[in-house]
Every structure is written in C-alpha cells, then in structure tokens.
Amino acid sequence: MKFFIDTANLDEIKKAADYGFLDGVTTNPTLIAKEGLSDQDARIKAICDITHGPVSAEVVATEPEAMLAEAKHLASLAANVVVKLPLTMDGLKVTRILSKEGIRVNVTLIFSAIQALLAAKAGAAFVSPFVGRLDDIGSDGMGLVEDIQTIYNNYAFDPEIIVASVRSPQHVLRAALIGADISTIPFSVISQLAAHPLTQKGLEAFLADHAKVKEKK
Ligand code: E4P
C-alpha cells in the first residue's frame, strides 16, 4: 500500500520523505488555507519538487468551463500534479474530458460506493472515499472502502483507491487488510504508526540491561 501525506505543509512533507514514507501528497482548499499562503501555485510547485509521486491539487471552480480551465492550469504546474475534482455531475463531466486528454484526476468527496462507480466510469485515475467523516456521522467509513474495492474488482476498474480522511492507525491497518491502493495520512497519524507501548518498554529494558553490563566492566 502506498503512503501519501495529507497536508500542504512543507516541513511535514520533507519529514515524511526523510523517513521514507512519501509516495505522494494530497492537498485540499482547507489544508492550503491553513498554511496562510499568498501564492498557492508556488506551494504546489514546491511540493512537486520534494516528491515525484502524485500531488493532488484541488479545483475550487464549480462551473464546468471554469473547472476545466482551472484544472488545466493546475496540471501545467508540474508533471506530477493530479487534478482533484469533487464528485458532482459537473465534476464527473470534467473528469471525463480531462482523462481523455491524459490528465489524471482524483475524484474527491466520495461518500458512497455508487459515487465511486460513477467516478470510475468517468475515467478517474484515483478516487478518494472519506472514511473519517463517515465515521463521524455514525456510518462505516472502512465498510465503504470494502464495497468500492469489491465493485472495482468485479469489473476490473482502473482507479486507485485513496483512503482519505484518515484519523487513526486503525484506518491505515484496515485499508491494508482490504487491499486499498493508497492511504493518505495526516502527519500526526504517520507519527503514531510506529508507536507501541511494548516496543518502548522493551527498548527501555534493553538499554537498562546494557547499562548494567557497562557498569561491571
Ligand atoms: C483527502 O484528499 C482530503 O484532503 C482529506 O483526507 C480530508 O480529510 P479530513 O476529513 O480530515 O478533512
């Protein structure tokens, strides 16, 4: 399973790259706004300089013509930009046009398996089901990923499934058990993935025992 990082923060992206856990990046308008940027294009380019993996940049226009123009602009920023479009009828229309032109689209804000089926038929390269937001309303986010995986297997559909809105290591574990292609993970969760209390306790015991050996010398 590939690990993307869900952030527009350059320090977090660099740290994930240094640890060797950076197969790509997803951003969205909220993550970009958090950075307080005056030049969004420059930030997308800077992210694309850190990773050669796919970098999702989201279109904020809502009318098809404007969406198309914005998508093409974003795609022109770097070869590894993936245009992110919302799962709306117009978003699907634009997805179809862009995919025919060879521009990769990540269809975002997916909350049902039928939406993921539509995105696949429109030619999406990636689909992003938001598992955490579904869990927040008492629904089963990872159940949605299972359903999408089944549908895509049934028909040998191409899009890679990006498990998005990840809130905990459990989401990452279940994504891997299901066989999802990608998890896009906030830096705070990446940091939790390696942690286990018994690892920490075991390390402390080993270091204490090692110190005793040194004392005897
Ligand atoms: C996915 O590409 C989105 O950026 C993201 O995962 C949204 O997650 P949130 O529900 O934590 O905002």
Side-chain angles (χ1 to χ4, degrees), residues 21 56 93 176 184 189 206:
F21 297 122
S56 289
K93 181 177 170 178
T184 189
V189 176
F206 285 151

Side-chain angles (χ1 to χ4, degrees), residues 5-59:
I5 184 167
D6 197 27
T7 186
N9 183 281
L10 291 183
D11 286 340
E12 291 183 349
I13 295 167
K14 282 179 194 154
K15 278 185 196 156
D18 286 346
Y19 283 121
F21 297 122
L22 187 69
D23 298 313
V25 178
T26 52
T27 68
N28 67 37
T30 304
L31 294 171
I32 296 271
K34 244 194 220 172
E35 296 296 304
L37 301 170
S38 53
D39 187 348
Q40 176 185 324
D41 289 0
R43 177 57 57 97
I44 299 294
K45 283 185 191 168
I47 295 172
C48 290
D49 285 342
I50 301 172
T51 177
H52 296 301
V55 173
S56 289
E58 190 157 342
V59 164

Side-chain angles (χ1 to χ4, degrees), residues 15-201:
K15 278 185 196 156
D18 286 346
Y19 283 121
F21 297 122
L22 187 69
D23 298 313
V25 178
T26 52
T27 68
N28 67 37
T30 304
L31 294 171
I32 296 271
K34 244 194 220 172
E35 296 296 304
L37 301 170
S38 53
D39 187 348
Q40 176 185 324
D41 289 0
R43 177 57 57 97
I44 299 294
K45 283 185 191 168
I47 295 172
C48 290
D49 285 342
I50 301 172
T51 177
H52 296 301
V55 173
S56 289
E58 190 157 342
V59 164
V60 290
T62 51
E63 296 304 318
E65 268 183 31
M67 284 171 121
L68 196 54
E70 193 183 342
K72 287 187 175 178
H73 169 71
L74 290 172
S76 75
L77 295 176
N80 52 333
V81 166
V82 170
V83 172
K84 218 172 177 191
L85 288 170
L87 191 298
T88 59
M89 288 304 281
D90 287 334
L92 292 171
K93 181 177 170 178
V94 176
T95 297
R96 177 174 305 281
I97 297 167
L98 292 170
S99 69
K100 281 192 180 143
E101 293 182 16
I103 294 176
R104 292 181 297 170
V105 176
N106 171 4
V107 177
T108 190
L109 290 170
I110 290 192
F111 292 96
S112 82
I114 286 293
Q115 289 180 321
L117 174 59
L118 295 179
K121 288 184 71 67
F126 301 91
V127 292
S128 293
F130 277 37
V131 298
R133 292 193 197 183
L134 278 170
D135 292 352
D136 289 346
I137 60 159
S139 197
D140 177 12
M142 294 312 302
L144 169 62
V145 176
E146 265 169 2
D147 287 349
I148 297 172
Q149 185 80 60
T150 301
I151 292 171
Y152 284 9
N153 288 345
N154 286 348
Y155 298 100
F157 277 130
D158 289 334
E160 291 189 64
I161 300 172
I162 304 180
V163 176
S165 187
V166 162
R167 302 276 160 78
S168 70
Q170 279 303 315
H171 280 146
V172 180
L173 171 62
R174 285 203 56 202
L177 290 171
I178 292 166
D181 303 283
I182 300 154
S183 281
T184 189
I185 316 171
F187 188 77
S188 57
V189 176
I190 292 182
S191 315
Q192 291 169 31
L193 292 177
H196 194 287
L198 291 180
T199 305
Q200 187 55 32
K201 197 176 162 192

